[in-house]
Amino acid sequence: ALPILTSKELFNKTKVWMVEFFHDAKAAIEIEDMENGMLLGKGVMQYKSTVFMGSSGNSGTVTYSIKIEFKDGRFRYEIKNFYHTSSNPNVNFQGFGLINPSKEEFANTAPGPKSWRRKIWDEITIQIDSNVKATIENLIGFVKTPVTHDKW
């Protein structure tokens, strides 16, 4: 069970989590609104492609938005807007852009042969899902950890 924290305590604790988890306060936190109990941030994960055709050009980063809202004793989060950018400067490919929620939509709009795009969509969404689950576990674990007031 979560400790009973006020909206302000949850806001402050989660703000610390965002800075520590994403390693850069300026990059991670885009909007802070304590009055309305909301933090909006941006996360980045690495995507390593193992699909043979063009795999070095497919690898890169996936950015996403994370919104956390607070009320006394509870919070909720939303993670969305996954956007892929290639990290290989030696290929003429900027990335897949927004990762569509539908495999068929992605297969119909992304560059390359359809069967290959379906494999990429499977792979990238599995990696995104794994990253999101780890992020949520980390957030909940951080919020559950009691605040200690060490005298130093």
Side-chain angles (χ1 to χ4, degrees):
L2 290 173
I4 304 300
L5 301 172
T6 66
S7 175
K8 182 179 178 181
E9 290 170 324
L10 283 166
F11 177 92
N12 288 329
K13 193 163 190 176
T14 305
K15 185 176 170 184
V16 170
W17 172 80
M18 286 181 93
V19 171
E20 290 182 5
F21 189 78
F22 295 113
H23 307 292
D24 183 351
K26 290 180 182 172
I29 300 173
E30 296 180 318
I31 297 174
E32 299 177 49
D33 186 351
M34 188 183 307
E35 186 177 317
N36 292 306
M38 193 263 298
L39 284 170
L40 183 63
K42 181 173 147 185
V44 178
M45 63 168 270
Q46 295 299 313
Y47 164 60
K48 176 75 172 139
S49 179
T50 60
V51 177
F52 179 70
M53 189 173 100
S55 63
S56 66
N58 300 334
S59 294
T61 58
V62 175
T63 56
Y64 55 91
S65 62
I66 179 168
K67 179 169 123 177
I68 307 172
E69 296 175 295
F70 313 93
K71 290 188 177 190
D72 288 347
R74 62 189 172 138
F75 70 98
R76 66 181 177 184
Y77 51 83
E78 181 179 31
I79 301 174
K80 63 182 184 177
N81 301 325
F82 299 94
Y83 191 91
H84 172 264
T85 304
S86 174
S87 61
N88 188 335
N90 299 320
V91 295
N92 189 16
F93 174 61
Q94 301 298 312
F96 293 110
L98 189 63
I99 304 302
N100 300 320
S102 155
K103 182 192 285 193
E104 286 312 305
E105 186 179 344
F106 183 81
N108 288 328
T109 58
K114 236 182 204 188
S115 61
W116 174 77
R117 292 183 295 221
R118 286 185 184 108
K119 288 179 186 174
I120 291 290
W121 189 89
D122 286 341
E123 180 181 69
I124 202 167
T125 55
I126 286 169
Q127 289 185 34
I128 287 170
D129 186 59
S130 176
N131 181 273
V132 167
K133 285 178 180 172
T135 300
I136 292 166
E137 281 181 24
N138 192 287
L139 169 61
I140 292 170
F142 192 89
V143 171
K144 283 182 174 180
T145 305
V147 177
T148 58
H149 300 285
D150 295 334
K151 293 182 180 181
W152 50 278

